[in-house]
Amino acid sequence: MSVAQVASVVRTRRRSRLSHLGVIGWLALAVIVVFVFVAAFGEALAPDDPNAIDIAYANVGPIPGHPLGFDDLGRDLLSRLLVGARSSFVGPLALVALSTVAGTTLALIAAWRRGWTDATLSAGFDIAFAFPGILLAILLATLFGAGLAVAVIALTLAYTPSLGRLLRATALRETGMEYVKAFRVMGYSDVRIVVRHVLPNLMPFIIAQAIIMFGYATLDLGGLSFLGLGVQPPTADWGVMVAAGAPALLQGYPTQTLAAGTCLVLAAVAFGVLGDRLARMWGVE
Amino acid sequence: MKSFLGRRILLGVVTILATTFLVHIALYLAPGDPIDVLTAGKPTTPERLEALRAQYHLDDPFLTRYFSWLGGVLHGDFGQSAAFNTDVLTLLTPRVPTTILLVSCAFIMIMAFGLSLGIVAALRGGAIDTASMATATLVAAIPAFVSSFLLINVFALRLGWLPAIGLGDGSPLDTARHLVLPSVALALAAGAFVARTTRASVRAELGRDHVATATVRGIPRRLVISRHVLRNGLLPILSIAGLLLAGLIVGTAFVEQAFAIEGLGKLLVTAARQQDLAVVQAVTLILVVAFVVLNILVDILYWYLDPRVRSEAA
Amino acid sequence: MEDLTLDVPVDSGHGRILHGVDLTVEAGSAIGIVGESGSGKSMTVRTVAALLPPGASTSGRVSFDGDQVADMSSDRLRRYRSSQVAMIFQDPRAAINPVRKVGNFLVENAVTNLGWSRARAREKAIDVLREVGIADPERRLNAFPSELSGGLLQRVMIASTLLYEPELLLADEPTTALDVTTQSAVMALIDRLRRERGMAMVFVTHDLELAAAVCDTIHVMYAGRIVEKIPASELHERSRHPYTRALLDARPRLDGRESRLRAIPGQPLSGLEDVTGCAFAARCPFAVDICRTDEPPVVAVETGEIRCHRAHDRLWGDS
């Protein structure tokens, strides 16, 4: 067997069928598919204009055609919830994409170079890991002004080291394997070995971690939007809606806050469970 | 012990200095003139601009500026708040005890409920274990800014058992009643996480050989559990206590916002929205000092409780 | 121990890891249980001390001086474990609580169960530490396990059993986790102390040679069954079970007469796997049709007992 074949055998052995997800895993996947669909086609699905204000309907409960009723400005809540899915997922998507690429790159460099490069990067990961991402986001919002982009950048700085830290340990094990040594002896370039052979073997771990991270990202960005430091009103966004519904909640109209909060928690649980199941299925916990 | 403690304190001081230094550098990385950040882009009188320039020593070299801020802080001078039009110390003084109270209540709840739930689940197993861990998994995913409103809606508005917002009239009993819901909101997710970690750790300890050794020597199960399983199994909880406290302190931003409590967290968020750098800098400094001090305390506790740490350090 | 079976919970319901194990240990004698990993040898000794994994169930009898271990009241079980039987584990670093002092470990049983005063227990602890060859015992009492080497810790473990002189010593691969250099010293220590004090011993190992050196009788286990029972003195010349022979051939020989090691073909089986016929049939060079269909009975032979369909066939020219 050639070395390339060995590398791909190592890969196939780890792959297993989706049937191992279990009922709860499939349920989580179904919830995610629905959310993604809503995020993509929210406007088309919304029965009403999410931004049409009609004070006459302020805090009116469910009536035919408006199953969730209206918010404090008389906007249709179901429409805002459906349209809000996109803004609630776009931020996490950008955040997860950026920190996965950055975290993977840094972890691979640390694992490949070892020595002082690894020591420096690991120490950096450890220090940054202990610094709360939300606090960093608050600091950056003070300096650059509040907004989704600033929140995403701040959380990327916080998420990258935590993924890097996890992945480095796995990458170290992978780069220590025999097939890597064999490729080196055969004179392949470092980049080629890492990109063509090591990285594909780490993909299950990276994908599972990215999905788990997506759950946290939804809550963290939703929380920052709640604080007024992420997505800005009047954009329909679940975090913004939790905050916007608070005065109505205190007057006895909790629908907006609780419905938006439930969507956030449901999304977070679904991503967390799916990532967990995938990790277990691929044996990369 | 002395050299260990010395190293930890030194590291702590370096962390604090590095953080504050970075916050200062960031001010100059921000786009435009720092003065725009400091006035939050609002139109300001020339006299006010002059005062700001003097306060932040904007005409001095960078290092001088940093050290004059640091010197001021050591004398209790945190500067002037642009958004609140008062000096920062006046803003901080009443809020620090409020936040400490909130975090302490939440921490006690987490330790009381999270630990006992995790221990019971691990030792009992079966249906109790499955049910409590499924609940904990769900609760761990409910962030404080959602659980706050769930609690307000159920326990304050529907059942009317407890007040919804604020901290009341200041009498101890009223304050206690007002603190219950915010503390629970702050504690829920972290408590669920502690319960899961405790269960996993105690479970792992139950399967260790040294527990089998004690059992095979005929030590009564009650003593095996308390001396060997819990004594060892709870050590890992101590190691996450530092991160946990950091999470709680940051979490006050959400809970104080939801419950309209005037504490450091709410102050920090309000100041950030108004780009009031002096206040944000001061609160950040306090939070970072709190993290560092708490982590040193956790390390000292660990040193006393786990001899393995001691032989490693030696 | 008679016809012992042990079922443990596995992913899909219950799995049987011991299949009808019979064992007898006379007072003061030593028996060895030898087998590959997964053969059920550790589980067998753990069952003797009623140390079962959660959810496990047993059938058959384990009795001690006529008392059924499974039927013991909790008081009786406590007395049995605290003063009549003692166990030495494979890895002393795992088997001694790492956060309590060595002295605490040594006196725990005596103080908690036997009602000794702390002072008396400490005095005796110093005596036994000296007896197992540990220098400066007073200082060691205040040390934590992480400050001692593996060999020293195993001596501490042995010392802890001497404190109250049990009648039966269960030793589960007591030297496997130690450095090669300390292995023989620790084994010699166990052997000497056992003989001096007339303790009976069940010695579990994968090393036939070692078992033959310190035990009176050898029991060879395969896939949760005892396949051959033979006096240690007869092992080399007169063992008959194909598996025992294969184990003997798989060892390097010190006299260098044979240049190649004969590995046993195939993978070892654990008791968990379902087999029809003889569990060793798939790897046995002498297997015939009946071996693959019927479970072999226990056959009494001149040297002891063996579980083999071909017990009476002359498979080896000179035995």
Side-chain angles (χ1 to χ4, degrees), chain A residues 7-104:
Chain A
S8 82
V9 166
V10 170
R11 192 146 63 232
T12 343
R13 219 185 296 138
R14 292 181 189 159
R15 201 180 294 149
S16 49
R17 270 169 290 127
L18 279 174
S19 58
H20 294 275
L21 272 183
V23 181
I24 295 177
W26 277 107
L27 214 63
L29 187 61
V31 170
I32 291 170
V33 168
V34 170
F35 274 141
V36 169
F37 184 77
V38 172
F41 304 107
E43 283 95 346
L45 295 167
D48 205 351
D49 178 354
N51 295 316
I53 296 176
D54 186 349
I55 296 298
Y57 285 97
N59 289 330
V60 169
I63 55 169
H66 302 273
L68 289 180
F70 302 84
D71 72 2
D72 52 338
L73 296 175
R75 294 175 293 195
D76 178 52
L77 270 180
L78 179 64
S79 301
R80 287 187 70 72
L81 219 48
L82 290 171
V83 172
R86 183 174 306 161
S87 122
S88 308
F89 288 134
V90 162
L93 189 65
L95 167 53
V96 169
L98 288 173
S99 31
T100 304
V101 170
T104 306

Side-chain angles (χ1 to χ4, degrees), chain C residues 57-162:
Chain C
S57 60
T58 57
S59 69
R61 297 153 49 87
V62 180
S63 44
F64 185 87
D65 270 356
D67 282 353
Q68 282 260 23
V69 173
D71 297 343
M72 284 182 181
S73 66
S74 64
D75 270 3
R76 174 71 185 94
L77 183 64
R78 190 174 157 195
R79 205 168 67 229
Y80 165 65
R81 281 169 162 174
S82 61
S83 57
Q84 296 182 305
V85 62
M87 187 153 174
I88 300 175
F89 291 83
Q90 181 172 346
D91 179 3
R93 207 167 286 294
I96 298 178
N97 189 339
V99 306
R100 307 183 87 226
K101 288 181 181 172
V102 166
N104 255 323
F105 170 76
L106 282 168
V107 304
E108 182 180 30
N109 183 32
V111 171
T112 312
N113 287 324
L114 310 179
W116 294 17
S117 74
R118 208 151 254 284
R120 179 181 163 213
R122 265 187 97 79
E123 212 165 286
K124 187 80 197 287
I126 291 171
D127 287 349
V128 291
L129 281 182
R130 201 166 279 133
E131 199 171 343
V132 298
I134 291 181
D136 202 359
E138 290 88 350
R139 195 169 55 88
R140 299 295 189 195
L141 285 184
N142 287 319
F144 283 99
S146 47
E147 297 160 11
L148 268 56
S149 72
L152 273 182
L153 272 187
Q154 195 64 298
R155 285 169 193 266
V156 168
M157 189 88 205
I158 295 163
S160 77
T161 67
L162 296 180

